[in-house]
Every structure is written in structure tokens, then in C-alpha cells.
Amino acid sequence: NGVISFVDPYTDSVPPENFPMPVYADRPPMPLVAWMWDDLQALEDSHVYYQVLEGGELVIQFNNFGRYGDVIGRLDAQVVLRADGKILFQYLEFRDGIATDSATVGVENVNGTVAMQVAYDEDYLHDALAVLFRMDSDRDGADDAVDNCPYILNSDQQDSNVNGIGDACDFYQWTDSNAADGPVFGWIDVSATGTEVDGLTDDDYAGPFDIGFNFNFFGDTKTQFFIQTNGAISFDNQAYS
């Protein structure tokens, strides 16, 4: 029915009756890539292919795809999923009068709460049409894949300390106990109750050890750590000298 999804259907396939997006219908929400959500049908002469290409692209192609009740009309189209999150719809040809004004075109998230609708029951689709979706969560004009602060609006992409993280997303600021509003020094002695780490030598490291909870470090969730002998805690298994 003109849809790519990322979950098994809950009770049946995506219904032939299309809806505007986001879909407020009497069914569980589904993450949908609706390249032409309509009452489409794979007929005897229809073919569907998929291939993973080098460079991070999955192409899903529909050749001679038909529509229920239409024994003549056919279409050729494809969906391209890219590793950077972009989604491309391409429509090569609509033939022999197949309906193009009764479909939903768009994408919807897993919760059914956020969607980007291109068209709904309108005369939009035509031959040699390409539609590109890109992730820009904060809508600042920079794709998430290259945005140095993808979830906070920062159109200027300012990065004062040139660390690859936009100023708006530099998660860490520092202060010390010398400052009036700084932390209060309070030593926590675990030498009698903690686990001792043995065998460390020069320019060495030990681990991994479980953190015990999910730790958010610059937006990445860490669950294990390594102890470096050169005055550092790290999250990867190599010595830093």
C-alpha cells in the first residue's frame, strides 16, 4: 500500500485507506515512510527489489507496481534510505492513467506524534519527481548529520573553543571550590569499601568497569569506564600517555 515501515504490523498491514499525517486513527502508531500511501498492489508483472550500496544507501525499488482495481495503470518508484538519516523518494514514471491524486506522501515517527507530510489526496505526484527528507531536529537549516548542536537552535553554528561542539551544546561548564558559588569540598573515602584495581604499570590502563548506570557524556550514553595511570578516566580501551 505504498509504505515502508520499521516494525512488524500489529494486527494487519497498513490499511489501504490513507490518512493525513500524523495519523490519528484507531490503530497503534507506526513509524512510516509513506512514499505513496494508497491502495496499491503488487500485481503479476510487478517486481520489488532492494540493495545496499557502498557509501551507506539502501535502495528499495518498485517496478510495474499497480493499484487495486486498476488492471492497466502502473508505476515505477523507489525509496532510498541513507546512513546520514536522509530519505529520498523518486518517481520514475506513472503509466496508463494510474491515479496520482489520492495518496499520502510523507514520513512519521514511531510514536505517531511527529510527521512531515508532503501531500494528501492532491495532484502532486508526477514523472521524474524526487522528494528528499532530511533530519533537522532544531530546524536551523543544518542537517543533524553535520549540525554541531542538532537539538538546540544555533543557526550560526558558533563553536568558540573549536571542539566540534556548538556553543549552544557545550554540555560542560566548570567552577571550583574557590568560587563563592562553587562546590563544597567533601572527601568520600572508599578505600575500605570499594573494589581495588591491581596491576597498573607505567602508561597503563585497566578496565572496563561498569559505571552502574547510564552516564550521559557529551550526549553519548556510557555504561563502562577505564582507569588511566596518566591522570584520566576514559571510556575506551587504550592507554593515553
Side-chain angles (χ1 to χ4, degrees):
N1 292 318
V3 166
I4 304 294
S5 71
F6 300 99
V7 294
D8 288 335
Y10 290 91
T11 56
D12 53 7
S13 63
V14 175
E17 180 186 359
N18 61 305
F19 296 92
M21 290 181 148
V23 179
Y24 300 108
D26 187 21
R27 61 184 291 112
M30 296 177 67
L32 298 178
V33 176
W35 57 274
M36 188 178 173
W37 183 8
D38 201 350
D39 197 1
L40 300 186
Q41 185 177 17
L43 302 174
E44 289 186 2
D45 60 339
S46 301
H47 301 276
V48 180
Y49 311 90
Y50 73 91
Q51 182 176 351
V52 179
L53 305 179
E54 292 184 5
E57 288 188 330
L58 169 64
V59 179
I60 307 166
Q61 183 168 314
F62 304 85
N63 284 4
N64 284 323
F65 225 61
R67 190 174 188 276
Y68 182 79
D70 182 351
V71 297
I72 300 175
R74 298 290 188 272
L75 66 89
D76 299 328
Q78 63 182 201
V79 176
V80 182
L81 306 183
R82 295 175 175 166
D84 62 3
K86 292 185 177 72
I87 301 172
L88 178 67
F89 297 167
Q90 298 198 109
Y91 306 90
L92 177 63
E93 186 179 21
F94 298 93
R95 295 185 296 280
D96 300 320
I98 190 168
T100 59
D101 59 356
S102 58
T104 300
V105 178
V107 294
E108 179 174 301
N109 75 340
V110 67
N111 300 316
T113 56
V114 178
M116 183 175 292
Q117 178 177 286
V118 175
Y120 170 69
D121 285 0
E122 58 189 277
D123 189 14
Y124 170 75
L125 297 172
H126 59 79
D127 294 356
L129 172 67
V131 181
L132 179 66
F133 299 85
R134 58 184 179 85
M135 289 294 294
D136 182 13
S137 299
D138 56 9
R139 300 194 176 187
D140 61 2
D143 292 2
D144 285 2
V146 297
D147 195 337
N148 63 15
C149 183
Y151 303 114
I152 299 176
L153 180 65
N154 65 328
S155 301
D156 58 8
Q157 298 287 288
Q158 184 69 34
D159 181 13
S160 300
N161 57 4
V162 198
N163 66 350
I165 300 172
D167 291 352
C169 268
D170 263 331
F171 290 87
Y172 292 97
Q173 298 179 353
W174 74 272
T175 184
D176 62 23
S177 56
N178 294 319
D181 61 348
V184 176
F185 179 83
W187 183 259
I188 304 172
D189 190 357
V190 298
S191 60
T193 57
T195 301
E196 185 173 3
V197 178
D198 301 275
L200 287 169
T201 59
D202 185 43
D203 292 340
D204 200 5
Y205 70 97
F209 307 106
D210 290 333
I211 292 176
F213 53 87
N214 291 336
F215 177 62
N216 186 345
F217 186 69
F218 285 105
D220 289 332
T221 299
K222 306 296 185 183
T223 60
Q224 294 182 316
F225 69 98
F226 294 80
I227 295 175
Q228 303 280 336
T229 59
N230 290 308
I233 303 295
S234 70
F235 301 100
D236 55 359
N237 58 343
Q238 60 177 319
Y240 290 89
S241 58

